[in-house]
């Protein structure tokens, strides 16, 4: 049972965070806070990406060259690191979407059994 006032936590499947970040960056360059806000808004507040998950994921994606980053001034006139999807990142997004679709389909087949 949930504790009074406790938030329900929706955990992402492994690898899903990277897919969501790549998909978000396919729209255009964004800073970390903008990425988190976009995912939260489009998921109707079901998915909340914490800084402790977001920035390590972005760092891993930089190392893999799926994204690039540069410092810019944000809309609220603050210095922020903006992330951009690379060609390798676009390719990886396709791979991630295909994997997710396959996994989702498999789960749904199991759930539909009587």
């Amino acid at each position: 049972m949930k504790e009074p006032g406790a938030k329900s936590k929706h955990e992402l499947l492994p690898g899903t965070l990277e897919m969501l970040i790549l998909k978000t960056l396919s729209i255009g360059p964004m800073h970390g806070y903008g990425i988190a806000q976009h995912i939260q808004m489009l998921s109707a507040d079901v998915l909340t990406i914490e800084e402790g998950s977001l920035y390590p994921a972005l760092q891993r994606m930089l190392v893999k060259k799926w994204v690039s980053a540069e410092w810019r001034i944000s809309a609220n006139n603050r210095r922020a690191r903006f992330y951009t999807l690379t060609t390798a990142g676009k390719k990886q997004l396709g791979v991630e979407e295909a994997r997710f679709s396959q996994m989702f389909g498999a789960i749904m087949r199991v759930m539909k059994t009587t």
Side-chain angles (χ1 to χ4, degrees), residues 4-62:
K7 284 186 173 181
S8 68
K9 209 168 192 169
H10 297 87
E11 293 188 23
L12 296 174
L13 292 171
T16 308
L17 177 58
E18 287 82 0
M19 180 183 66
L20 294 173
I21 293 169
L22 290 170
K23 184 65 175 177
T24 299
L25 291 175
S26 71
I27 298 166
M30 279 187 217
H31 52 72
Y33 181 75
I35 294 167
Q37 289 296 107
H38 181 82
I39 292 169
Q40 185 172 343
M41 180 190 69
L42 287 181
S43 72
D45 294 326
V46 172
L47 303 176
T48 302
I49 311 302
E50 302 294 331
E51 284 184 29
S53 299
L54 176 65
Y55 290 104
L58 285 166
Q59 188 59 39
R60 288 190 303 272
M61 294 165 66
L62 278 166

Side-chain angles (χ1 to χ4, degrees), residues 86-103:
T86 64
T87 302
K90 289 175 188 173
K91 182 178 178 183
Q92 187 62 31
L93 175 57
V95 169
E96 297 294 331
E97 286 178 324
R99 283 184 191 155
F100 181 79
S101 180
Q102 182 181 27
M103 181 67 71

